[in-house]
């Protein structure tokens, strides 16, 4: 029992369960899933589908944070990726052509790799602090995205491209499979090879790691590139989901949601340790919370306050110091009146 | 050896920065210099008269400098608005200083302050939200720079802070939307469940379109708003919120979206739920951008209240009048219509934005 409490996934899972339970009481058919034109349809599926891009970005962010870094530019990369893909497709003659969509996806993936490499290069070789290095692209990225879309919303009518964010495979949204595949690959690479250990070691102490023969710079550049890639794919999913690219709003504040997801998942911003599964659950908690707020009809004026309150509670519950204090308070509580009574008897 | 490596890194960085900076500049020039031919034709006609006015009232050697602080580029409507202002400023021969606030009030305030410092002749802007403008508007007034509001209003008590407000009457737009709904359901005996997708919380169009709509539909007790949430005027949010509405509510008869983009997102959610937009759920929206009119012509949106973004020419005329010292009305309302599905089909071929 004690072991279960101490497992790093216990609290994130408990919070997710509590949120789902709340929904169950609030609207009993929350868990209903029906089949509709070969798709599964229901609130849970919506959470997975809309949460997929966030999970993806958060996975990339986890690795960056594990090296004691941070990537603020993911939201902008999401916007750039969506803009570039939609622009490429809208220029094509036959928008449904598989080759066109594939080349758009390939171009976008390549660009996201490059943007990630740019971040990694700034952090690893020029020694700029990660928060500043990635801030550059965060600010400039929205401008680049608007340059690509020339300030317009680009609408595409390609069923092939639409499949990425809206299609269904085995009755489940296709985006879930993309996320699951990347999650599996990353877990295998980091937990079954020495790569995970290298990343954690660089996060603990890049100097010492270099001295024992780990190529710190290469590791750092690689994780930023991977983070860029995740953000790029998330951008593809998001833009294909609404069949349009919006340079200004796509992925707005995504970096903050992703960092929050990583922290809720139990990874420390100090680096040196990371929990991928925790991150996935953290991202799902955030998406469940958003969906819950929409479903129970919180007035839009106070939505953010409600969200902040829940996040605060989540963070407090997760904090071991806070938990211990509460428990201690409770254990050492004294009841002077009671004691006196018992003494007289 | 190490030094060489460091030096080369530095030089590469500098090179990249120069390259990026050059890119940005050329991109901007492109934007300003080569507007799409279709839209410029349209703007040219009404702008011509304001150009003539500017020549008569201003000495030829000094260009009028107009500082414009735009909200952002949150929707197709806004892009059309931006284009109209940029083109008509060019035709009127003004030197336009344009800034994009990316939906943030602090950015807009910063932009306005920098216009004051640059001593532009006139400042025009579309306020992101209604409140919190008094301080910066007073600064402009003290600097002697006239301010013109476009498209969205501010809630300042002191109307001497700005010269005029050019734009649509959002309350009226909400009323038109509500009136159509009341007419459609005047014989309905049962309850009609309405869901509402609001614009950015606190913005003038969201507040006014909501209140105008409410004013009218209260006349029929059967019309009930059962859920209302913000969709931030974007497609992605509109889709996400509508999907949650569809899960939470068994019976939705009508969707009222504060702009076309949210309605377009919601249409995708409705289709994913296996329902027919426009038939199973009646959709009312505001704006009339090209994609919205197209959806209306396909019968997916039942009624669109137009909100005309092409107020550039009117703005330039007002700028000239203000500089010439003429008295202008405190409120200039733009001409607007409404579209049913059939009217949208007819209007689609010559829609400019």
């Amino acid at each position: 029992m004690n072991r279960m409490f101490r497992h790093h996934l216990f609290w994130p899972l408990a919070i997710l369960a509590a949120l789902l339970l709340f929904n169950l009481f609030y609207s009993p058919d929350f868990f209903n899933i029906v089949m509709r034109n070969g798709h599964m349809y229901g609130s849970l599926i919506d959470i997975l589908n809309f949460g997929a891009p966030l999970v993806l970005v958060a996975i990339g962010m986890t690795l960056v944070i594990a090296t004691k870094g941070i990537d603020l530019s993911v939201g902008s990369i999401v916007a750039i990726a969506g803009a570039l893909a939609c622009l490429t497709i809208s220029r094509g003659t036959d928008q449904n052509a598989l080759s066109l969509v594939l080349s758009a996806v390939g171009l976008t993936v390549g660009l996201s790799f490059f943007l990630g490499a740019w971040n990694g290069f700034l952090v690893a070789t020029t020694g700029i602090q990660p928060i500043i290095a990635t801030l550059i692209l965060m600010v400039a990225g929205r401008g680049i995205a608007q340059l690509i879309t020339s300030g317009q919303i680009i609408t595409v009518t390609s069923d092939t491209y639409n499949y990425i964010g809206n299609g269904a495979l085995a009755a489940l949204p296709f985006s879930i499979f993309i996320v699951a595949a990347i999650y599996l690959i990353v877990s295998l690479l980091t937990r079954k090879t020495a790569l995970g250990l290298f990343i954690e070691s660089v996060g603990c102490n890049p100097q010492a790691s270099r001295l024992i023969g780990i190529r710190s710079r290469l590791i750092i550049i690689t994780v930023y590139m991977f983070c860029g890639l995740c953000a790029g794919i998330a951008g593809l999913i998001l833009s294909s989901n609404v069949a349009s690219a919006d340079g200004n709003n796509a992925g707005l504040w995504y970096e903050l949601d992703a960092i929050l997801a990583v922290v809720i998942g139990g990874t420390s911003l100090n680096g040196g340790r990371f929990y991928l599964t925790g991150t996935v659950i953290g991202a799902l908690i955030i998406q469940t919370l958003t969906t819950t707020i929409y479903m129970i009809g919180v007035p839009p004026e106070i939505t953010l306050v409600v969200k902040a309150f829940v996040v605060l509670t989540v963070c407090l519950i997760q904090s071991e110091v806070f938990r211990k204090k509460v428990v201690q308070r409770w254990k050492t509580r004294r009841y002077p009146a009671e004691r006196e009574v018992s003494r007289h008897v | 050896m190490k030094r060489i490596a460091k030096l080369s890194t530095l030089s590469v960085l500098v090179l990249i920065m120069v390259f990026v900076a050059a890119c940005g500049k050329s991109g901007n020039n492109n934007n300003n210099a080569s507007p799409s031919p279709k839209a410029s034709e349209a703007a040219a006609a009404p702008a011509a008269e304001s150009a003539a006015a500017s020549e008569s009232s201003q000495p030829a050697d000094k260009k009028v400098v107009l500082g414009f602080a735009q909200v952002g580029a949150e929707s197709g409507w806004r892009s059309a608005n931006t284009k109209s202002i940029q083109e008509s400023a060019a035709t009127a021969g003004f030197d336009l200083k344009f800034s994009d606030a990316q939906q943030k009030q602090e950015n807009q305030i910063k932009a306005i302050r920098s216009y004051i410092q640059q001593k532009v002749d006139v400042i025009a802007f579309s306020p992101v939200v209604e409140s919190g403008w008094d301080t910066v508007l007073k600064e402009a007034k003290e600097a002697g720079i006239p301010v013109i509001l476009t498209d969205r209003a501010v809630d300042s008590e002191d109307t001497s802070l700005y010269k005029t407000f050019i734009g649509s009457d959002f309350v009226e737009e909400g009323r038109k939307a509500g009136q159509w709904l009341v007419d459609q359901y005047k014989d309905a005996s049962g309850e009609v469940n309405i869901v509402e997708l609001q614009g950015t919380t606190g913005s003038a169009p969201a507040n006014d379109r909501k209140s105008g709509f409410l004013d009218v539909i209260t006349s029929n007790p059967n019309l009930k708003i059962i859920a209302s949430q913000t969709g931030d005027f974007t497609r992605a949010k509109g889709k996400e919120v509508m999907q949650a509405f569809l899960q939470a509510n068994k019976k939705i008869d009508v969707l009222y979206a504060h702009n076309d983009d949210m309605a377009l997102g919601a249409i995708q959610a409705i289709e994913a739920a296996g329902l027919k937009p426009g038939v199973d759920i009646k959709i009312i929206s505001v704006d009339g951008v090209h994609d919205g009119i197209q959806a209306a012509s396909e019968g997916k949106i039942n009624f669109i209240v137009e909100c005309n973004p092409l107020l550039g020419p009117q703005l330039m005329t007002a700028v000239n009048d203000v500089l010439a010292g003429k008295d202008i009305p405190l409120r200039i309302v733009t001409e607007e219509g409404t579209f049913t599905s059939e009217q949208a089909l007819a209007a689609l071929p010559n829609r400019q934005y």
Side-chain angles (χ1 to χ4, degrees):
Chain A
M1 192 63 184
N2 217 348
R3 250 189 88 192
M4 192 184 92
F5 271 122
R6 252 188 247 148
H7 194 272
H8 68 269
L9 286 182
F10 174 75
W11 288 110
L13 277 174
I15 291 158
L16 185 61
L19 267 176
L20 292 175
L21 212 63
F22 172 80
N23 272 308
L24 182 64
F25 284 122
Y26 194 84
S27 58
D29 48 0
F30 184 80
F31 289 92
N32 279 5
I33 291 177
V34 288
M35 292 295 284
R36 226 163 249 174
N37 332 324
H39 290 232
M40 285 214 238
Y41 182 80
S43 293
L44 289 181
I45 304 293
D46 279 356
I47 290 175
L48 287 177
N49 194 11
F50 285 121
L54 182 62
V55 173
L56 206 53
V57 172
I59 288 176
M61 187 70 82
T62 309
L63 295 189
V64 169
I65 287 179
T67 65
K68 215 177 189 170
I70 201 153
D71 189 347
L72 295 182
S73 68
V74 285
S76 295
I77 297 180
V78 164
I80 295 174
L84 183 68
C86 286
L87 183 78
T88 317
I89 291 171
S90 68
R91 288 269 168 88
T93 42
D94 176 18
Q95 295 202 358
N96 281 322
L98 187 64
S99 57
L100 179 71
V101 173
L102 280 182
S103 65
V105 170
L107 218 79
T108 310
V109 167
L111 183 70
S112 342
F113 257 131
F114 171 76
L115 293 173
W118 162 258
N119 280 334
F121 168 75
L122 285 184
V123 173
T125 44
T126 65
I128 304 177
Q129 290 194 337
I131 198 165
I132 302 297
T134 55
L135 189 71
I136 297 171
L137 191 58
M138 174 190 171
V139 176
R142 297 249 156 236
I144 297 173
Q146 280 178 41
L147 212 64
I148 297 174
T149 61
S150 28
Q152 305 279 337
I153 294 177
I154 302 179
T155 309
V156 294
T157 48
S158 162
D159 290 335
T160 324
Y161 183 60
N162 221 353
Y163 185 79
I164 302 175
N166 268 335
L169 187 68
L172 281 169
F174 181 64
S175 53
I176 297 179
F177 291 94
I178 302 177
V179 175
I182 288 185
Y183 168 72
L184 271 180
I185 293 169
V186 177
S187 322
L188 285 179
L189 274 180
T190 54
R191 293 305 179 208
K192 296 292 168 197
T193 71
L195 186 65
L197 201 62
F198 287 175
I199 291 175
E200 291 185 332
S201 133
V202 169
C204 281
N205 191 333
Q207 298 287 334
S209 315
R210 194 175 54 82
L211 291 177
I212 59 165
I214 298 172
R215 294 185 171 184
S216 304
R217 280 186 187 173
L218 189 70
I219 297 274
I220 289 179
I221 293 180
T222 314
V223 294
Y224 279 95
M225 278 174 81
F226 175 70
C227 190
L229 172 74
C230 285
I233 297 177
L236 287 177
I237 297 177
L238 275 170
S239 72
S240 117
N241 189 280
V242 289
S244 65
D246 180 350
N248 225 334
N249 288 302
L252 198 62
W253 309 128
Y254 241 59
E255 53 281 345
L256 300 184
D257 274 352
I259 294 169
L260 184 64
V262 173
V263 172
I264 291 178
T267 304
S268 153
L269 288 181
N270 287 329
R273 239 171 169 211
F274 65 94
Y275 305 107
L276 280 175
T277 319
T279 297
V280 174
I281 295 168
L284 289 179
I285 289 176
I286 294 175
Q287 189 58 43
T288 312
L289 178 61
T290 312
T291 308
T292 307
I293 284 175
Y294 292 153
M295 291 200 46
I296 63 177
V298 177
E301 292 83 11
I302 60 165
T303 305
L304 294 175
V305 180
V306 174
K307 236 177 167 174
F309 181 75
V310 175
V311 168
L312 176 71
T313 319
V314 168
C315 291
L316 283 179
I317 291 175
Q318 290 243 52
S319 150
E320 214 176 328
V321 181
F322 178 80
R323 279 206 311 268
K324 266 189 187 151
K325 274 205 174 134
V326 171
V327 170
Q328 247 172 22
R329 206 55 201 279
W330 187 62
K331 273 186 180 160
T332 58
R333 208 193 278 174
R334 289 171 215 277
Y335 301 95
E338 274 175 27
R339 216 180 314 141
E340 222 162 312
V341 170
S342 60
R343 217 177 268 164
H344 278 285
V345 171
Chain B
M1 194 56 205
K2 213 177 164 191
R3 230 181 122 185
I4 294 173
K6 266 192 185 163
L7 268 177
S8 63
T9 311
L10 191 74
S11 53
V12 165
L13 256 180
V14 169
L15 269 178
I16 288 175
M17 276 177 182
V18 167
F19 173 72
V20 168
C23 269
K25 209 166 177 193
S26 71
N28 271 342
N29 283 348
N30 275 346
N31 263 351
N32 291 339
S34 59
S36 89
K38 213 166 128 200
S40 71
E41 264 171 46
E49 51 179 15
S50 62
S54 91
E55 273 163 30
S56 60
S57 64
Q58 287 290 320
D61 54 330
K62 194 184 161 269
K63 253 188 169 182
V64 173
V65 184
L66 170 67
F68 189 84
Q70 181 62 287
V71 175
E74 80 274 20
S75 60
W77 191 95
R78 185 66 56 193
S79 316
N81 178 245
T82 301
K83 224 175 190 170
S84 159
I85 286 164
Q86 284 171 340
E87 280 162 9
S88 44
T91 352
F94 293 171
D95 181 8
L96 178 71
K97 298 201 180 299
F98 185 87
S99 75
D100 181 330
Q102 303 196 329
Q103 278 91 8
K104 285 192 213 81
Q105 185 174 23
E106 66 261 34
N107 288 352
Q108 250 185 340
I109 291 179
K110 263 183 240 160
I112 294 170
R113 291 219 163 105
S114 86
Y115 292 148
I116 297 174
Q117 273 162 11
Q118 294 168 33
K119 298 197 172 62
V120 299
D121 295 309
V122 180
I123 294 173
F125 76 110
S126 310
V128 178
V129 292
E130 283 189 298
S131 50
W133 298 100
D134 287 18
T135 321
V136 70
L137 288 182
K138 267 180 199 139
E139 286 168 27
K141 196 184 173 188
E142 276 158 22
I145 301 173
V147 174
I148 298 176
L149 305 178
T150 65
D151 152 49
R152 295 185 183 182
V154 297
D155 64 359
S156 301
E157 299 281 317
D158 183 3
T159 49
S160 75
L161 290 176
Y162 53 89
K163 290 289 170 199
T164 181
F165 165 41
I166 305 173
S168 324
D169 187 344
F170 298 131
V171 180
E172 188 54 37
E173 287 169 4
R175 283 210 193 97
K176 282 181 191 161
Q179 195 55 49
W180 182 82
L181 189 65
V182 169
D183 293 346
Q184 286 287 307
Y185 285 93
K186 58 176 181 273
D187 307 324
S189 51
E191 278 190 353
V192 178
N193 291 337
I194 306 165
V195 295
E196 184 185 30
L197 283 171
Q198 297 183 23
T200 310
T201 310
S203 65
N207 293 346
D208 293 352
R209 283 174 191 167
K210 183 185 163 80
S211 67
F213 186 73
L214 267 180
D215 277 355
V216 175
I217 63 163
T218 39
S219 66
N220 184 347
N222 281 334
L223 301 175
K224 257 200 179 149
I225 296 185
I226 52 166
S228 181
Q229 181 62 252
T230 174
D232 278 339
F233 285 133
T234 64
R235 268 183 222 191
K237 267 283 158 77
K239 181 173 183 181
E240 199 178 336
V241 174
M242 190 64 199
Q243 203 123 334
F245 280 169
L246 286 164
Q247 304 284 3
N249 304 290
K250 284 264 149 15
K251 180 174 164 282
I252 298 175
D253 301 306
V254 177
L255 162 70
Y256 171 45
H258 286 187
N259 80 343
D260 285 343
D261 283 296
M262 290 193 292
L264 290 170
I267 286 172
Q268 295 182 356
I270 294 169
E271 281 170 345
L275 299 170
K276 277 192 86 168
V279 179
D280 296 322
I281 297 178
K282 297 253 188 275
I283 301 179
I284 308 169
S285 125
V286 186
D287 269 5
V289 297
H290 183 272
D291 286 355
I293 295 284
Q294 182 154 8
S297 70
E298 288 160 12
K300 290 177 177 172
I301 298 180
N302 304 72
F303 190 67
I304 295 182
V305 180
E306 190 189 24
C307 180
N308 189 0
L310 304 178
L311 41 81
Q314 269 178 307
L315 171 65
M316 300 314 149
T317 318
V319 167
N320 279 321
D321 289 350
V322 166
L323 289 177
K326 284 186 207 160
D327 266 343
I328 55 172
L330 203 59
R331 184 79 176 83
I332 302 173
V333 181
T334 43
E335 283 287 310
E336 285 164 352
T338 56
F339 295 97
T340 57
S341 291
E342 297 78 41
Q343 286 164 334
L345 194 59
L348 186 62
N350 38 27
R351 203 72 187 154
Q352 302 149 13
Y353 54 92

